[in-house]
Each structure stands twice: as structure tokens, then as C-alpha cells.
Amino acid sequence: MGHATNPAFRLLDDPDDQAGARVSRVGGLTFWAETLALHTAAAREFRDVTDQVAEVVRRSGVAQGWVSVFSKHTTAAVVLNENEPLLLEDMGSMLERLSAAAGSYQHNDLSRRVGEMDPDECANGHAHCQHLLLGSSENIPIAGSRMDLGRWQRIFLLELDRPRDRQLVVQVFGA
Amino acid sequence: MGHATNPAFRLLDDPDDQAGARVSRVGGLTFWAETLALHTAAAREFRDVTDQVAEVVRRSGVAQGWVSVFSKHTTAAVVLNENEPLLLEDMGSMLERLSAAAGSYQHNDLSRRVGEMDPDECANGHAHCQHLLLGSSENIPIAGSRMDLGRWQRIFLLELDRPRDRQLVVQVFGA
Amino acid sequence: MGHATNPAFRLLDDPDDQAGARVSRVGGLTFWAETLALHTAAAREFRDVTDQVAEVVRRSGVAQGWVSVFSKHTTAAVVLNENEPLLLEDMGSMLERLSAAAGSYQHNDLSRRVGEMDPDECANGHAHCQHLLLGSSENIPIAGSRMDLGRWQRIFLLELDRPRDRQLVVQVFGA
């Protein structure tokens, strides 16, 4: 059971645990939200979460509407693209080219920082800059009780920082 | 009638054909979705679809809510910007500068690829990389039965690959 | 009272003025939209509007659903990131590097332009190009009557052009 004791979380490893779903039903409409928790393994990991999002859509029972996938982080993005391993490396190389991890960022000069910092704060200016170009969420239409994705479209959480605990809010709405 | 036989499609050339609309009405609310099919003419074509999206909004009868425009592709993006011909060239030049068509992409080395490929697969690593920076959808508010766009805002399908058949899911929701 | 006479506007300086809210209530669901007006002070200003958006969410009374923040402009973006002053400078520097204000843009050659122009049109090709990479809106989930943001996430209107009057459409939907 473990994490079932924390109703704010759903672990991706336990897709049948529905304790975490927040559900409102209003006159034939459903709002269904789950917070998926995952741990990324590496910088620039493209974690394919399509199947987990599809499971949330299935559990919601919504036939027509939307699903929104939202990252609660400023250094981990939600993107849609093709899951082809060589391409994922190409996309990572482009991001590194546009905003290099070893580049010069004032944000990385902790001696000049004011305001709150995590105890394990580390140099991640590049990750914030890359995130700015990618965005925090995607909305996908639902038709016929399934996501209406094109043949090559997959949903990724893209880790731009180091390996970290991450949360995605997956919210389904519709009839 | 032609394509009216395929309920999944709407051709942009035939705006009065409503056979393809998927409609759910629940207690005064409307979900109205149409899949627009179009054929792009060139790489980096900015196809202005504002008027076609406005027609879908009009057909839906929704007075307040949203319209979502979603590309079912990983090498064709949905963007909002100004439709000024010189500017469209400038934006294309920037994309080429950030991820050049003639650049080096592992994805383009078909000899190393594993997994599914289209019979007409061609070198389009740059198009996937540009798509990553642009995104797959935009959501536009509806107020007073019209899209609440600013004076200069137009909606584009942006072709990043070669001329291809493309589909946009236009979903309207509201009261 | 002043701007209360224009129902299309809400000034950020007057958070208690509700004259501008457009509200539809349908069978237990609420659509609540306000147009926030603000004046930016400088190019590349990151204007933190999180508290104003939170106020709109509070006024709407929605407990579960979404809030959409939409820029009505093609040279001012809506982004989520951390509000750390040094980082905001880093992100501005990256945007300048990707599409420099002093770069060469055909859009800036007013002698070649056709179509409508503002009387005060000025060289802003870079601002349009940067906007293309950033997008016009963000959708944020609402849970327990609050935005379900992560610890570091803040909402910004990002001015890419010169100081200007700007409008954000903030639309809340839910139960």
C-alpha cells in the first residue's frame, strides 16, 4: 500500500491504485485529476508517459473532452514528439546548443542570490532557460474514449535538470 | 460530397460540410469537435487557418468558453502570430538558424534506425527539433460568440517538413 | 471608478473591481473570465501576475478545474518559471542571443511593408520571433480552490517589445 497513505500522490509504478484521484461529477460531466509521481534517471531524459496518461483517461470514463498534462516544475517540461531514440538524442543536443549546461548564468552564482533556496540547490540556469522554450503543459483532445493523437505523437516529461522527484498533474474533463 | 463519406475528416475547402462534426451536448454545455484536413504546399509554409477556426466556432453556437486547435503531427506546429509576409520569412529564417535542415541529425541516418518507419521516410530531424520549440496546440478564449483574439493575432498551422497531408483537431467547448 | 465604465477591462491596480467579469453559470459549472489590463515598463520585463491570477480564481469560486492565462498580443508572451531576479536576466539574455533586437529582420524594413500598420510601428521583428518560441497562453489546474502550482512556479507576462499597454484574458472554468 505504501504511498496510498498520501492522497496527493500516485506512483507510476502502481497504475491500479486509484486512491489519489480527485473526482467531481456535475450533471453528466466529469473532472478527474491524478498527480503522477516519478523519479527521473538522468539529465535530458525523455520519459514517455503516454501509456500512463492513457490509463488515467480510461479510468475517468470520459468519452469526449480533453486531457491536460501539467508539470509542476520549472526545470522539467511536458512535450509531444516522436519516441525514436536517435531523435531524442538530436533534440537533447539542440537544447544543449541553445542553452549550454556549462554556459554562463548569473542564476548559478549562489553567492549573489537572494531569496529562498533549496539546501541542495545546484547550477541549473541552463535547465530554466531550456524550460522557457518548451513550456509546462500540453492539452490533448479525447474522442471515442481515447486520446486523439496522431500516429507518431507521444507524451514526454522531459527532465532538464539532474535526476529528481517529479510530479505531473493529469486532468481529464468531458462527457 | 466525396470526403463526406469519411466522418473523421473535414476538408478546409468545403466549410459547409458538417458531416464530420462530433458533438456532445450536456445540460446546456456543448462539446463540438471537427478534424480539419489540409495539404501543405511547401516547407515552412505558415498556413493561416484563423477563418476556418472561426467558422467552427460559429457552427458550434458556443458563446463563452474555449477553442483548442491541436496538430496531430510531430513536424507541423500550431502557432499564433501576425500574418505579415516579410515577418513570416523572418520567423522561418530564425527556425532554420536554430535547427538547420542541412544540419547533422542522427534521426536522418536511416541505416541506424530501429522501429517503424514510413515507406517515404526522409531526412526531417530538423523539423522534429523545430517542433519541440513550438508546440502542438493553442487554446483561445471565446467571448460573445467569437474568438477573443487581439488585433494582430492569427492562427497558423506551420509546416516544418515537406508538403504533406495534415490534420488539425478543432475542439470548441462552452455554454 | 474610472475604468469601471469600460466593461471589457480590469485594471490590475484595482483588484476589487468586479465590473469586468464575464460570468456564465450552467448547472453547477462556472465560466468566469476577466481581462486584465497592464502597462509594461521596459523591454524584456517579466511581470509576475501570479497573485492577480490567484485573485481571479478566488473570485470565481471554482474548486476544481482550470485557469487559462492568454495574451492578446504577438510580442508579449505568457510563461511559467521561477521568479529569481538573476535568472530573469539569464532568460532575457538567452532570448537576445536566439533572436537579437539588432539583428536583420525584413519586418523592420517599413518601406517594403504592405498591409495595415500602427502609426507608431517600430522595429520589433525580434519580438515576434521570440514570441514564436514562447507561446501565448498557459493552462493551470485548480485543485482545492487554488492553483495547483509547484513550489517555484510563477506566472509571467513577458514583454518582448517596448513598454506598451497589454491585456491578458484570465478564464476560469470548473465546478
Side-chain angles (χ1 to χ4, degrees):
Chain A
M1 304 293 285
H3 50 269
T5 56
N6 182 343
F9 277 76
R10 288 188 55 76
L11 288 184
L12 284 177
D13 302 329
D14 187 358
D16 290 328
D17 168 19
Q18 297 184 37
R22 302 179 291 279
V23 183
S24 300
R25 296 195 197 275
V26 181
L29 297 172
T30 298
F31 291 85
W32 181 287
E34 301 186 32
T35 301
L36 304 178
L38 59 160
H39 187 82
T40 57
R44 286 208 237 127
E45 181 189 5
F46 283 77
R47 175 73 71 93
D48 189 325
V49 296
T50 315
D51 293 345
Q52 287 89 346
V53 174
E55 272 301 298
V56 177
V57 171
R58 188 190 60 73
R59 282 195 286 272
S60 76
V62 165
Q64 183 172 1
W66 280 274
V67 57
S68 157
V69 183
F70 179 81
S71 164
K72 295 185 71 167
H73 307 282
T74 55
T75 57
V78 173
V79 299
L80 299 182
N81 218 302
E82 182 180 345
N83 191 349
E84 193 278 292
L86 299 175
L87 176 64
L88 302 184
E89 290 186 42
D90 290 331
M91 294 192 288
S93 299
M94 178 190 65
L95 292 172
E96 170 68 15
R97 193 156 35 79
L98 299 185
S99 188
S104 174
Y105 302 93
Q106 300 182 69
H107 183 65
N108 294 353
D109 181 356
L110 303 187
S111 70
R112 294 177 55 207
R113 292 270 289 280
V114 294
E116 261 188 306
M117 274 191 282
D118 268 334
D120 64 342
E121 180 79 23
C122 68
N124 67 356
H126 68 290
H128 285 285
C129 285
Q130 294 172 6
H131 185 97
L132 191 74
L133 301 175
L134 298 173
S136 302
S137 68
E138 289 282 354
N139 293 313
I140 298 147
I142 295 171
S145 299
R146 300 166 64 100
M147 285 192 283
D148 194 11
L149 290 168
R151 178 177 173 194
W152 304 104
Q153 285 183 306
R154 302 291 291 181
I155 310 164
F156 297 94
L157 174 80
L158 171 47
E159 177 59 77
L160 299 166
D161 203 344
R162 62 194 189 282
R164 298 183 69 162
D165 291 317
R166 299 301 195 178
Q167 293 180 49
L168 289 177
V169 179
V170 181
Q171 189 162 227
V172 187
F173 170 67
Chain B
M1 303 291 284
H3 51 271
T5 56
N6 181 344
F9 278 77
R10 287 189 54 78
L11 288 183
L12 284 178
D13 302 329
D14 188 359
D16 290 327
D17 168 18
Q18 296 185 38
R22 301 179 292 280
V23 183
S24 300
R25 295 194 197 276
V26 181
L29 296 172
T30 298
F31 292 84
W32 182 287
E34 301 186 31
T35 301
L36 305 179
L38 60 160
H39 187 81
T40 57
R44 287 209 237 125
E45 181 188 3
F46 284 77
R47 175 75 70 96
D48 190 325
V49 297
T50 315
D51 293 344
Q52 287 89 346
V53 174
E55 272 301 297
V56 177
V57 171
R58 189 190 58 75
R59 282 195 287 271
S60 76
V62 165
Q64 183 172 2
W66 281 276
V67 57
S68 158
V69 183
F70 179 80
S71 164
K72 295 185 72 166
H73 307 281
T74 54
T75 56
V78 174
V79 299
L80 299 182
N81 219 302
E82 181 179 346
N83 191 350
E84 192 279 293
L86 299 175
L87 176 64
L88 302 184
E89 290 186 42
D90 290 331
M91 294 193 286
S93 299
M94 177 190 65
L95 292 172
E96 170 69 14
R97 193 155 36 78
L98 298 185
S99 188
S104 174
Y105 302 93
Q106 300 183 70
H107 183 65
N108 293 353
D109 181 357
L110 303 187
S111 69
R112 294 176 55 207
R113 292 271 289 279
V114 294
E116 262 189 306
M117 275 191 282
D118 268 334
D120 64 341
E121 179 79 22
C122 67
N124 67 357
H126 67 290
H128 286 284
C129 285
Q130 294 172 6
H131 184 97
L132 191 74
L133 300 175
L134 298 174
S136 301
S137 67
E138 289 282 355
N139 293 313
I140 298 146
I142 296 171
S145 299
R146 300 166 64 99
M147 286 191 283
D148 194 11
L149 290 168
R151 177 176 173 194
W152 303 104
Q153 284 182 306
R154 302 289 292 181
I155 310 165
F156 297 94
L157 174 81
L158 171 46
E159 177 59 77
L160 300 166
D161 203 343
R162 62 194 189 282
R164 297 183 69 160
D165 291 316
R166 298 301 195 178
Q167 292 180 48
L168 290 177
V169 180
V170 180
Q171 190 163 226
V172 186
F173 170 67
Chain C
M1 304 292 284
H3 51 269
T5 57
N6 182 342
F9 277 76
R10 288 189 54 77
L11 288 183
L12 285 178
D13 302 329
D14 187 358
D16 291 328
D17 168 19
Q18 296 183 39
R22 301 179 293 280
V23 183
S24 300
R25 295 193 197 277
V26 181
L29 296 173
T30 297
F31 291 85
W32 182 287
E34 301 187 30
T35 301
L36 305 178
L38 59 161
H39 187 80
T40 57
R44 287 208 238 125
E45 180 188 5
F46 284 76
R47 175 75 71 95
D48 190 325
V49 295
T50 315
D51 294 344
Q52 287 88 348
V53 175
E55 272 300 298
V56 177
V57 171
R58 187 190 60 72
R59 281 194 287 271
S60 76
V62 165
Q64 183 171 3
W66 280 275
V67 57
S68 158
V69 183
F70 179 81
S71 163
K72 295 186 71 166
H73 306 282
T74 54
T75 56
V78 174
V79 299
L80 300 182
N81 219 302
E82 181 180 346
N83 191 350
E84 192 280 292
L86 298 175
L87 177 63
L88 302 184
E89 289 186 43
D90 290 331
M91 295 193 287
S93 300
M94 177 190 65
L95 292 171
E96 170 68 15
R97 193 157 34 79
L98 298 185
S99 188
S104 172
Y105 302 93
Q106 299 183 70
H107 183 65
N108 293 353
D109 181 357
L110 302 188
S111 70
R112 294 177 55 209
R113 290 270 289 280
V114 294
E116 261 189 307
M117 276 191 282
D118 269 334
D120 64 342
E121 179 79 23
C122 67
N124 67 356
H126 67 290
H128 286 284
C129 285
Q130 293 172 6
H131 184 97
L132 191 75
L133 301 174
L134 298 174
S136 302
S137 67
E138 289 283 353
N139 294 314
I140 298 145
I142 296 171
S145 300
R146 299 166 63 101
M147 286 191 283
D148 194 10
L149 290 168
R151 176 176 173 194
W152 304 104
Q153 285 182 305
R154 302 290 292 181
I155 310 165
F156 297 94
L157 174 80
L158 171 47
E159 177 59 77
L160 300 166
D161 203 343
R162 63 194 188 281
R164 297 183 69 161
D165 291 317
R166 298 301 195 179
Q167 292 180 49
L168 290 176
V169 180
V170 181
Q171 189 163 226
V172 186
F173 169 67

